[in-house]
Amino acid sequence: MSVNTIEHNRTRQNFDGVSSVWLFGYGSLIYKVDFPFLEQQPASIEGWVRRFWQGSHDHRGTREAPGRVVTLIEQPGAVCKGMAYRVSPDVFEHLDHREKNGYLRFSTAMTFDDGRQEQGLVYIATEDNEAFLGHAPDADIALQISRSVGPSGRNDEYLLKLAEALRHLGDDDPHVFAIEAMLSA
Ligand code: SIN
């Protein structure tokens, strides 16, 4: 699949007659909220883990020297914590542009911290996108993150802000916190 997903996402869901949509964010969408929303709820989704396995060409690295950002990897029984936003469907034009480097919108069930459940969308960069980097030892990921920078800023800033936001949510994500510890070591 081509790395730019804007056109793919445009035809994935039909928002005709829909006044609002829940969006689940698990990476930068937790801490960089540059879009309007109607409501916000700490939430989680089941069956996925957060991993720094997606290459970033357009935000935290370049095509020649990609940074690493998070995507979701399927893992039965796992729970991924994040933030859910209820947004107007027209917000997806901005979000599709922001998440264009390999992320596709998928439908997901989400559970809010108060127990309420909703169906919504989540951006996932699957392993068939050209920017996907996949697994690497934590130390290698930390080194790549410490060296990368792109149009949205330093890659380590992405990691540190995500770690801080997860702590705020009361999440204990061993993958993110292990890489954070190596960065500051
Ligand atoms: C997300 O935050 O939900 C998607 C990945 C990212 O933008 O970091």
Side-chain angles (χ1 to χ4, degrees):
M1 193 185 65
S2 71
V3 75
N4 188 322
T5 51
I6 289 181
E7 286 307 320
H8 296 277
N9 277 324
R10 202 164 275 159
T11 52
R12 276 176 85 78
Q13 285 97 22
N14 183 350
F15 295 133
D16 286 354
V18 175
S19 59
S20 68
V21 180
W22 280 100
L23 166 73
F24 178 79
Y26 57 90
S28 68
L29 289 174
I30 301 179
Y31 66 81
K32 187 180 175 187
V33 189
D34 61 353
F35 52 90
F37 60 87
L38 305 161
E39 197 182 335
Q40 180 181 31
Q41 293 283 341
S44 55
I45 61 174
E46 266 181 48
W48 299 93
V49 286
R50 186 188 286 110
R51 290 287 178 265
F52 273 92
W53 287 10
Q54 173 65 6
S56 179
H57 298 165
D58 59 342
H59 284 301
R60 303 291 179 164
T62 60
R63 189 168 275 278
E64 298 70 39
R68 275 189 181 255
V69 289
V70 291
T71 185
L72 293 179
I73 303 295
E74 261 184 296
Q75 191 178 107
V79 174
C80 178
K81 228 173 144 28
M83 186 62 79
Y85 306 90
R86 190 163 65 82
V87 298
S88 159
D90 53 20
V91 170
F92 285 99
E93 193 170 331
H94 166 70
L95 293 172
D96 286 354
H97 186 265
R98 171 172 161 172
E99 303 296 325
K100 67 182 182 307
N101 198 63
Y103 292 85
L104 291 174
R105 294 189 229 127
F106 288 88
S107 176
T108 183
M110 58 188 89
T111 307
F112 301 149
D113 283 7
D114 66 10
R116 203 155 41 107
Q117 292 198 315
E118 289 284 353
Q119 197 68 25
L121 298 178
V122 58
Y123 284 95
I124 300 177
T126 55
E127 57 188 71
D128 58 351
N129 86 86
E130 284 171 13
F132 190 80
L133 295 173
H135 174 269
D138 287 351
D140 294 2
I141 292 181
L143 191 63
Q144 186 174 352
I145 288 175
S146 72
R147 289 176 172 166
S148 300
V149 58
S152 296
R154 294 173 58 92
N155 203 172
D156 56 6
E157 182 195 40
Y158 176 107
L159 166 65
L160 295 172
K161 285 194 167 170
L162 176 59
E164 188 189 333
L166 292 178
R167 250 178 234 111
H168 218 78
L169 283 173
D171 189 26
D172 176 20
D173 185 320
H175 173 75
V176 173
F177 294 151
I179 296 167
E180 182 198 28
M182 284 178 176
L183 198 68
S184 43

